[in-house]
Amino acid sequence: MDEARTVMRRLERIETLQSADAPATELLAEVRQLLREGEAWLAAERGGTGERTGGATNGAGHARAAADAIASCRETLRARGGGGPEG
């Protein structure tokens, strides 16, 4: 679950940066890192196989995997009473 905690911390950092009106380049860098961390989380949940949703390895498959990771993060935040960033 370390991967999940890493993603949660990244989401919180992004939310803090948004509240502080951080430059777009800084936010984009954080989002890119979030995607990498989300992929690591998905790989860990799938037994480290690195397979993506439906076995896709193209850009659409990665985007769907990232969206799934973010949705899972939001669910986890809501479950622990933290709300989370809306999207």
Side-chain angles (χ1 to χ4, degrees):
M1 259 346 232
D2 288 337
E3 293 85 359
R5 280 190 274 281
T6 298
V7 169
M8 303 298 273
R9 283 191 299 268
R10 181 72 55 191
L11 285 170
E12 290 168 357
R13 178 167 168 73
I14 290 169
E15 189 172 57
T16 299
L17 289 170
Q18 285 176 321
S19 297
D21 291 323
T25 55
E26 192 171 347
L27 284 168
L28 285 172
E30 293 294 326
V31 169
R32 287 181 184 111
Q33 187 61 34
L34 173 64
L35 290 173
R36 286 187 286 271
E37 292 165 352
E39 286 184 337
W41 183 10
L42 287 171
E45 284 188 353
R46 291 189 169 109
T49 63
E51 291 180 19
R52 304 293 183 257
T53 303
T57 57
N58 60 19
H62 290 275
R64 183 69 207 155
D68 290 346
I70 291 169
S72 180
C73 288
R74 286 184 179 138
E75 289 174 26
T76 302
L77 277 172
R78 278 192 285 276
R80 71 176 194 177
E86 295 301 316

